[in-house]
Amino acid sequence: MSRHSRYRRARTPLVLVATAAVAAGVFAASVGPASATKTTPVQKPQEPKPTVVLVHGAFADSSSWNGVIKRLKEDGYPVVAAANPLRGVSVDAASVKSVLASIDGPVVLVGHSYGGMVISNAAHGSDNVKALVYVNALLPDKGESANELASKFEGSVIGDILRPVPITNPDGSKDVDLYIDQSKFHQAFAADVPAHTAGLMAVTQRPGTGTALNEPSGEPAWKTIPSWGLVGTNDQIIPRELQVYMAKRANAHIEEVQSSHAVSVSHPDAVTRIVEKAARTVR
């Protein structure tokens, strides 16, 4: 027998074994996923979360929400921080209402400080707003102004720290822009915020007009929309007693935090928690 024939005979069983192994592997690969598919449960798609719209108050801007925005987005919430003009209740509410109209789906509307005046009016007649959250904020009834509410209880220092700057409106009428004196900003507005951060906030503060603080509110949305109130117990701008009075009057779900007026900066976790509690009720 030639050497070539012996090699061919010896090789044949090895080829058969190898071929069988490959075939078995192909068969297992084709059967395995099919079996796995049958046993894997089908997951239902998650319902989209409501959009959270944040409205800052006077003496602040949208960056005051940065810590809250970061946490909400990490938790999967769409977020819009509306630029509040701070020119007057009706003007500011109309501006926010236009933002609300541009959003598809349900909205949780959140206001800080004077922003509470704005959201109370902007949400009235805005059908997609399903929850209101007031964060160290004003909850006006019809006909009440920010200044009127501020004088209802003792404890606010706002009257002692404002610096008026005369302005002329586009229509020629006179008004004042009201700033917090920078030297008093940290202690009065943001006592539990680091001094460096409070110093930047004092420089970049947005003034509210005299008109904004004296204009009476329209019909408030909290009479028909479920509301939540986060009360800062160390707030020197809107004292705790006033916040609790307004929140109870609105039948709001109340939570408290040991915070200055700048609660969204000093306690973003507490703000995020109450916003998400409100959001979880939205269907």
Side-chain angles (χ1 to χ4, degrees):
M1 184 181 294
S2 67
R3 182 187 305 171
H4 180 72
S5 297
R6 288 197 305 272
Y7 172 73
R8 187 169 56 196
R9 285 174 133 184
R11 189 169 67 105
T12 299
L14 295 176
V15 171
L16 292 174
V17 171
T19 303
V22 171
V26 171
F27 179 77
S30 63
V31 172
S35 301
T37 302
K38 291 179 181 178
T39 58
T40 301
V42 177
Q43 293 185 349
K44 295 182 180 179
Q46 289 187 343
E47 292 185 6
K49 293 182 176 180
T51 299
V52 177
V53 177
L54 305 167
V55 181
H56 65 83
F59 322 118
D61 63 16
S62 290
S63 69
S64 62
W65 296 110
N66 282 354
V68 178
I69 293 169
K70 176 178 181 292
R71 288 160 175 79
L72 288 171
K73 289 183 72 67
E74 286 174 348
D75 291 341
Y77 287 91
V79 186
V80 175
N84 187 355
L86 303 175
R87 300 296 87 185
V89 175
S90 55
V91 170
D92 301 338
S95 176
V96 172
K97 189 181 283 285
S98 67
V99 173
L100 298 173
S102 73
I103 297 172
D104 293 328
V107 168
V108 176
L109 187 56
V110 186
H112 171 247
S113 191
Y114 164 80
M117 299 280 297
V118 177
I119 70 170
S120 294
N121 286 267
H124 184 67
S126 296
D127 294 337
N128 59 338
V129 178
K130 304 302 181 182
L132 297 168
V133 182
Y134 295 86
V135 178
N136 282 9
L138 296 170
L139 290 77
D141 204 345
K142 184 176 181 179
E144 293 177 334
S145 70
N147 273 344
E148 179 183 347
L149 286 168
S151 62
K152 203 171 191 70
F153 294 91
E154 295 182 355
S156 176
V157 301
I158 192 69
D160 302 323
I161 61 175
L162 292 180
R163 183 173 65 85
V165 176
I167 61 171
T168 301
N169 293 315
D171 63 0
S173 61
K174 304 295 183 181
D175 206 338
V176 290
D177 266 343
L178 298 168
Y179 294 84
I180 293 177
D181 186 318
Q182 288 189 26
S183 66
K184 300 175 181 178
F185 189 96
H186 187 194
Q187 181 59 39
F189 194 91
D192 54 355
V193 173
H196 173 71
T197 302
L200 294 176
M201 293 170 63
V203 171
T204 60
Q205 64 178 291
R206 294 269 313 282
T209 63
T211 295
L213 300 185
N214 286 289
E215 182 179 347
S217 175
E219 190 68 31
W222 51 255
K223 290 186 176 180
T224 56
I225 299 175
S227 300
W228 281 256
L230 184 63
V231 175
T233 58
N234 298 324
D235 194 333
Q236 296 186 56
I237 304 299
I238 306 177
R240 175 189 176 278
E241 187 178 7
L242 174 58
Q243 289 189 52
V244 170
Y245 163 78
M246 293 183 294
K248 285 184 175 180
R249 182 177 65 177
N251 293 316
H253 306 274
I254 301 172
E255 295 187 9
E256 295 192 346
V257 60
Q258 289 186 334
S259 172
S260 70
H261 191 61
V263 63
S264 62
V265 180
S266 60
H267 291 82
D269 286 331
V271 176
T272 303
R273 279 195 300 271
I274 196 168
V275 171
E276 293 190 355
K277 282 182 180 180
R280 285 193 290 270
T281 69
V282 174
R283 296 291 181 268

